[in-house]
Amino acid sequence: MTNNWSNDGLQRWIEQISARDFGKPFRHYARWNTRLSSTGGRYLLKSHDIEINPKQWEANGAEEVERIIKHELCHYHLHLEGRGYQHRDADFKRLLAEVGGSRYCKALPAIRKKRTEPYRYFLLCQACGQRYRRKRKVDVKKYVCGKCRGKLTLEAIAE
């Protein structure tokens, strides 16, 4: 399967995988979703649609995306059958192993970098001395200490 970045191509690919590996049709919609950041794909419970992260294709290739599709199809088919479709359910784990889907998707390089960003802001409670580290700036007029409800001050900004 070559990626043509069209939702129609993804739809056909998911329909083929569903018929081949599950022996059941995929009757809903599939689409690429560039807004997914920390996940490879998702199954939407209300609409029964499947969304796949195209960044996984770029970073890890078609084989990894196929394993992600199988994972989402496990949620899809089990949910429609009224069986255990959640990650913790035995039905889900069993079906995932049978079809060769991935339990977890590979992390994207940009996500790893984002999560290891150093703390830039340090807050200090004036009442109890509790210190807080934050990556984003906090409005000290709006928030109070979670321990004693004391006033917070911005202690230092690390650059």
Side-chain angles (χ1 to χ4, degrees):
M1 169 76 189
T2 58
N3 189 1
N4 60 6
W5 295 108
S6 74
N7 288 333
D8 292 335
L10 179 64
Q11 178 79 30
R12 285 191 299 276
W13 192 20
I14 290 179
E15 289 170 357
Q16 290 170 357
I17 292 170
S18 182
R20 181 188 72 212
D21 295 335
F22 294 84
K24 300 171 188 170
F26 176 70
R27 292 194 169 107
H28 291 85
Y29 296 102
R31 62 185 162 267
W32 297 104
N33 185 345
T34 57
R35 295 182 318 267
L36 297 176
S37 60
S38 63
T39 183
R42 68 179 172 186
Y43 165 62
L44 303 168
L45 289 172
K46 289 184 180 180
S47 65
H48 306 295
D49 295 346
I50 291 178
E51 296 179 339
I52 302 295
N53 186 349
K55 296 170 199 161
Q56 284 290 336
W57 179 285
E58 294 168 355
N60 301 314
E63 289 180 20
E64 182 63 23
V65 173
E66 185 166 327
R67 285 191 286 272
I68 292 167
I69 290 170
K70 289 177 182 179
H71 177 105
E72 301 310 326
L73 283 171
C74 287
H75 289 300
Y76 173 81
H77 289 299
L78 290 170
H79 181 247
L80 291 179
E81 292 171 6
R83 295 168 54 201
Y85 63 89
Q86 296 179 339
H87 292 124
R88 66 176 179 244
D89 295 327
D91 287 336
F92 178 81
K93 291 176 184 177
R94 193 176 313 112
L95 183 59
L96 191 65
E98 284 175 20
V99 298
S102 64
R103 183 84 168 103
Y104 305 100
C105 68
K106 293 181 180 177
L108 297 170
I111 299 301
R112 283 190 215 120
K113 183 180 177 187
K114 184 177 179 184
R115 289 189 178 163
T116 59
E117 181 180 301
Y119 295 106
R120 294 178 46 205
Y121 299 98
F122 298 91
L123 303 171
L124 176 65
C125 175
Q126 294 299 305
C128 68
Q130 176 71 33
R131 293 178 186 264
Y132 298 94
R133 300 179 300 172
R134 294 290 178 264
K135 292 181 180 181
R136 293 184 179 177
K137 195 169 186 176
V138 175
D139 183 3
V140 293
K141 295 175 189 165
K142 188 175 178 182
Y143 295 99
V144 295
C145 176
K147 191 174 177 182
C148 72
R149 307 197 55 79
K151 184 180 177 183
L152 295 173
T153 57
L154 191 62
E155 186 180 58
I157 298 175
E159 291 297 328

